[in-house]
Amino acid sequence: MRVTCATAGTWFVLVALLSILVPQPAYGQCFSENDKKSDKIDANQSRGRLYKGESIFTLQLLDAINTATPNENVFFSPYSLYNVMLLMYFGARDTTEKLLRTGLSLQWTDSKATAHEAYDTARRSLVGRFSEGSAVGFSSVDKLFFGRQIPIASCIQEKFSETIELLDYQKDPEGQRQYINHWVENATRGQIKDLLLPGTISQNTKLAIANAAYFKGSWQTKFKAAETKKEIFYVSADRQEFVDMMHVEGTFSHAANEKLGCHILELPYSFGDEGSNSADANGNQVSMFVFLPPAEPNSLAKLLARLAAETDILQEVVNDGISRKVDVKLPKFSIEKMVELKPVLDRLGMGKLFENTANFTGFTGGVEPIGFDEVLQKSKIEVNEEGSVAASATVAFSFRSSRPADPAMFHCNHPFVFLIYDFTSRAVLFNGIYRQPE
């Protein structure tokens, strides 16, 4: 991990990749006859249920990553990982299929066809929503990199024709590694480079499932560069560090959430000039939400545990704020991080996905054994006065007051949680925990 002060631009970029290296016994077919039949659920209902499952997965994942890396800054994309694991689900069979259905909160349907319709509708609705040159930009691309010699089930070919690409892992594994790295770099506008290290891809590789997600945004209300100055950040009760602290006073949506025991501030991204509407003509809106716990021991861990337990809390959070004058301070920072997600998924009860008994023969119709060896995610974020993340409230800020002072103070001078939320898809695009400058 690398944390530095951001100098220019506002970027959130990420790729998640699974490299399949472990041979396994073959079972079953692709989508079964029951899987091919859609439930009597319309497209909007199924997409809404998929979004809800994704939000549950998001909050549980955040708590699991925090447990795995309790002393580090965290930045990742639950949206990207959820997409990759959905692709895993479509190729899974038997108990592995049931494990993923539970882990991804897909119990609302027993039909893969229905889940695929929801996935495909959500994916297509994203395309074209953010035009090139827009003040806010987001893109997400899925890819199934099959080995050229691997037989692909007919239904997988049919349903994922735009996503499949054939590579020759047997003849040139190193060249294919470089090819995938180049694809990642292009899809993330040059922000994520050298994702796969030499030796990651071998002649035994059969499939790599990837998602590359990219985001760029400018604040609707920008911070004043002239007001950025060194201030103390309270890492813990006995440790303080100086950070470049940004400052702005403006009208923001603010809430004090009793269930979570924290203050929450919404920082919207602009689709036009500063001060203009935060949504575009089509109603697209993206905001950062900052969750600030009290400046007390273990308050961050308690907040993360409550977020994981309150599965419906996101919808409450994004609609709960009151528009008011707020004096905001938050650090200017950059995080670049590679996360090995296999132990994190094991904490979520999905470790069997990587065992020899896992069944992913739906990808090949039972002709060729397939297994997953690792899940990697590399992400990067830069935050400065022009746009992007972070937040933390002041100790002097009371939890709830019927007649609060105007303006309220939301000073990010101790650890906090942040997320980037797309209102249209109701999805958390990126998630993070800022604990300390480095």
Side-chain angles (χ1 to χ4, degrees), residues 20-25 204 206 355-356 369-371:
I20 297 147
L21 303 170
V22 181
Q24 298 176 0
N204 294 325
K206 298 178 180 180
E355 295 180 359
N356 290 340
I370 291 285

PDB file of all heavy atoms in Angstrom, residues 20-25 204 206 355-356 369-371:
ATOM      1  N   ILE A  20      -7.553 -18.826 -12.824  1.00  0.00           N
ATOM      2  CA  ILE A  20      -7.959 -20.207 -12.585  1.00  0.00           C
ATOM      3  C   ILE A  20      -6.811 -21.132 -12.891  1.00  0.00           C
ATOM      4  O   ILE A  20      -6.397 -21.249 -14.024  1.00  0.00           O
ATOM      5  CB  ILE A  20      -9.175 -20.528 -13.438  1.00  0.00           C
ATOM      6  CG1 ILE A  20     -10.292 -19.610 -12.969  1.00  0.00           C
ATOM      7  CG2 ILE A  20      -9.620 -21.955 -13.312  1.00  0.00           C
ATOM      8  CD1 ILE A  20     -11.191 -19.217 -14.010  1.00  0.00           C
ATOM      9  N   LEU A  21      -6.301 -21.800 -11.863  1.00  0.00           N
ATOM     10  CA  LEU A  21      -5.082 -22.573 -12.027  1.00  0.00           C
ATOM     11  C   LEU A  21      -5.209 -24.007 -11.525  1.00  0.00           C
ATOM     12  O   LEU A  21      -4.346 -24.832 -11.785  1.00  0.00           O
ATOM     13  CB  LEU A  21      -3.928 -21.888 -11.262  1.00  0.00           C
ATOM     14  CG  LEU A  21      -3.643 -20.444 -11.654  1.00  0.00           C
ATOM     15  CD1 LEU A  21      -2.674 -19.831 -10.661  1.00  0.00           C
ATOM     16  CD2 LEU A  21      -3.070 -20.354 -13.049  1.00  0.00           C
ATOM     17  N   VAL A  22      -6.267 -24.337 -10.791  1.00  0.00           N
ATOM     18  CA  VAL A  22      -6.332 -25.613 -10.100  1.00  0.00           C
ATOM     19  C   VAL A  22      -7.240 -26.585 -10.845  1.00  0.00           C
ATOM     20  O   VAL A  22      -8.410 -26.295 -11.055  1.00  0.00           O
ATOM     21  CB  VAL A  22      -6.870 -25.414  -8.660  1.00  0.00           C
ATOM     22  CG1 VAL A  22      -6.915 -26.733  -7.925  1.00  0.00           C
ATOM     23  CG2 VAL A  22      -5.992 -24.427  -7.914  1.00  0.00           C
ATOM     24  N   PRO A  23      -6.761 -27.762 -11.279  1.00  0.00           N
ATOM     25  CA  PRO A  23      -7.627 -28.745 -11.945  1.00  0.00           C
ATOM     26  C   PRO A  23      -8.581 -29.390 -10.954  1.00  0.00           C
ATOM     27  O   PRO A  23      -8.242 -29.591  -9.788  1.00  0.00           O
ATOM     28  CB  PRO A  23      -6.639 -29.769 -12.498  1.00  0.00           C
ATOM     29  CG  PRO A  23      -5.444 -29.655 -11.615  1.00  0.00           C
ATOM     30  CD  PRO A  23      -5.359 -28.224 -11.184  1.00  0.00           C
ATOM     31  N   GLN A  24      -9.806 -29.742 -11.429  1.00  0.00           N
ATOM     32  CA  GLN A  24     -10.794 -30.365 -10.574  1.00  0.00           C
ATOM     33  C   GLN A  24     -11.598 -31.387 -11.371  1.00  0.00           C
ATOM     34  O   GLN A  24     -11.636 -31.339 -12.597  1.00  0.00           O
ATOM     35  CB  GLN A  24     -11.760 -29.302 -10.017  1.00  0.00           C
ATOM     36  CG  GLN A  24     -11.063 -28.270  -9.148  1.00  0.00           C
ATOM     37  CD  GLN A  24     -12.014 -27.184  -8.697  1.00  0.00           C
ATOM     38  OE1 GLN A  24     -13.170 -27.203  -9.030  1.00  0.00           O
ATOM     39  NE2 GLN A  24     -11.505 -26.234  -7.952  1.00  0.00           N
ATOM     40  N   PRO A  25     -12.318 -32.294 -10.701  1.00  0.00           N
ATOM     41  CA  PRO A  25     -13.153 -33.254 -11.398  1.00  0.00           C
ATOM     42  C   PRO A  25     -14.349 -32.586 -12.068  1.00  0.00           C
ATOM     43  O   PRO A  25     -14.789 -31.531 -11.630  1.00  0.00           O
ATOM     44  CB  PRO A  25     -13.627 -34.195 -10.274  1.00  0.00           C
ATOM     45  CG  PRO A  25     -13.499 -33.385  -9.024  1.00  0.00           C
ATOM     46  CD  PRO A  25     -12.324 -32.487  -9.233  1.00  0.00           C
ATOM     47  N   ASN A 204      -0.950 -23.817 -17.052  1.00  0.00           N
ATOM     48  CA  ASN A 204      -2.101 -24.477 -16.433  1.00  0.00           C
ATOM     49  C   ASN A 204      -3.325 -23.569 -16.326  1.00  0.00           C
ATOM     50  O   ASN A 204      -4.403 -24.032 -15.963  1.00  0.00           O
ATOM     51  CB  ASN A 204      -1.734 -24.977 -15.036  1.00  0.00           C
ATOM     52  CG  ASN A 204      -0.689 -26.072 -15.069  1.00  0.00           C
ATOM     53  OD1 ASN A 204      -0.690 -26.894 -15.983  1.00  0.00           O
ATOM     54  ND2 ASN A 204       0.214 -26.058 -14.100  1.00  0.00           N
ATOM     55  N   LYS A 206      -6.590 -21.761 -17.123  1.00  0.00           N
ATOM     56  CA  LYS A 206      -7.683 -22.095 -18.036  1.00  0.00           C
ATOM     57  C   LYS A 206      -8.624 -20.924 -18.273  1.00  0.00           C
ATOM     58  O   LYS A 206      -9.221 -20.797 -19.335  1.00  0.00           O
ATOM     59  CB  LYS A 206      -8.475 -23.281 -17.483  1.00  0.00           C
ATOM     60  CG  LYS A 206      -7.644 -24.552 -17.350  1.00  0.00           C
ATOM     61  CD  LYS A 206      -8.465 -25.683 -16.743  1.00  0.00           C
ATOM     62  CE  LYS A 206      -7.613 -26.941 -16.619  1.00  0.00           C
ATOM     63  NZ  LYS A 206      -8.393 -28.066 -16.025  1.00  0.00           N
ATOM     64  N   GLU A 355     -11.432 -24.577  -3.022  1.00  0.00           N
ATOM     65  CA  GLU A 355     -11.008 -25.938  -2.738  1.00  0.00           C
ATOM     66  C   GLU A 355     -11.188 -26.824  -3.971  1.00  0.00           C
ATOM     67  O   GLU A 355     -11.925 -26.488  -4.901  1.00  0.00           O
ATOM     68  CB  GLU A 355     -11.816 -26.490  -1.561  1.00  0.00           C
ATOM     69  CG  GLU A 355     -11.555 -25.746  -0.249  1.00  0.00           C
ATOM     70  CD  GLU A 355     -12.366 -26.301   0.912  1.00  0.00           C
ATOM     71  OE1 GLU A 355     -13.151 -27.260   0.684  1.00  0.00           O
ATOM     72  OE2 GLU A 355     -12.223 -25.779   2.031  1.00  0.00           O
ATOM     73  N   ASN A 356     -10.516 -27.982  -3.974  1.00  0.00           N
ATOM     74  CA  ASN A 356     -10.586 -28.894  -5.113  1.00  0.00           C
ATOM     75  C   ASN A 356     -11.979 -29.449  -5.358  1.00  0.00           C
ATOM     76  O   ASN A 356     -12.295 -29.914  -6.455  1.00  0.00           O
ATOM     77  CB  ASN A 356      -9.597 -30.049  -4.926  1.00  0.00           C
ATOM     78  CG  ASN A 356      -8.155 -29.603  -5.061  1.00  0.00           C
ATOM     79  OD1 ASN A 356      -7.874 -28.554  -5.644  1.00  0.00           O
ATOM     80  ND2 ASN A 356      -7.245 -30.387  -4.515  1.00  0.00           N
ATOM     81  N   PRO A 369     -12.608 -29.775 -16.378  1.00  0.00           N
ATOM     82  CA  PRO A 369     -12.638 -29.282 -14.996  1.00  0.00           C
ATOM     83  C   PRO A 369     -12.072 -27.870 -14.903  1.00  0.00           C
ATOM     84  O   PRO A 369     -11.124 -27.524 -15.585  1.00  0.00           O
ATOM     85  CB  PRO A 369     -11.762 -30.283 -14.248  1.00  0.00           C
ATOM     86  CG  PRO A 369     -10.829 -30.822 -15.277  1.00  0.00           C
ATOM     87  CD  PRO A 369     -11.615 -30.863 -16.555  1.00  0.00           C
ATOM     88  N   ILE A 370     -12.693 -27.060 -14.057  1.00  0.00           N
ATOM     89  CA  ILE A 370     -12.280 -25.671 -13.867  1.00  0.00           C
ATOM     90  C   ILE A 370     -12.185 -25.407 -12.369  1.00  0.00           C
ATOM     91  O   ILE A 370     -13.041 -25.852 -11.598  1.00  0.00           O
ATOM     92  CB  ILE A 370     -13.306 -24.706 -14.497  1.00  0.00           C
ATOM     93  CG1 ILE A 370     -13.282 -24.794 -16.029  1.00  0.00           C
ATOM     94  CG2 ILE A 370     -13.069 -23.272 -14.043  1.00  0.00           C
ATOM     95  CD1 ILE A 370     -12.093 -24.132 -16.677  1.00  0.00           C
ATOM     96  N   GLY A 371     -11.188 -24.659 -11.936  1.00  0.00           N
ATOM     97  CA  GLY A 371     -11.064 -24.281 -10.530  1.00  0.00           C
ATOM     98  C   GLY A 371     -10.469 -22.902 -10.380  1.00  0.00           C
ATOM     99  O   GLY A 371      -9.729 -22.434 -11.236  1.00  0.00           O
TER     100      GLY A 371
END
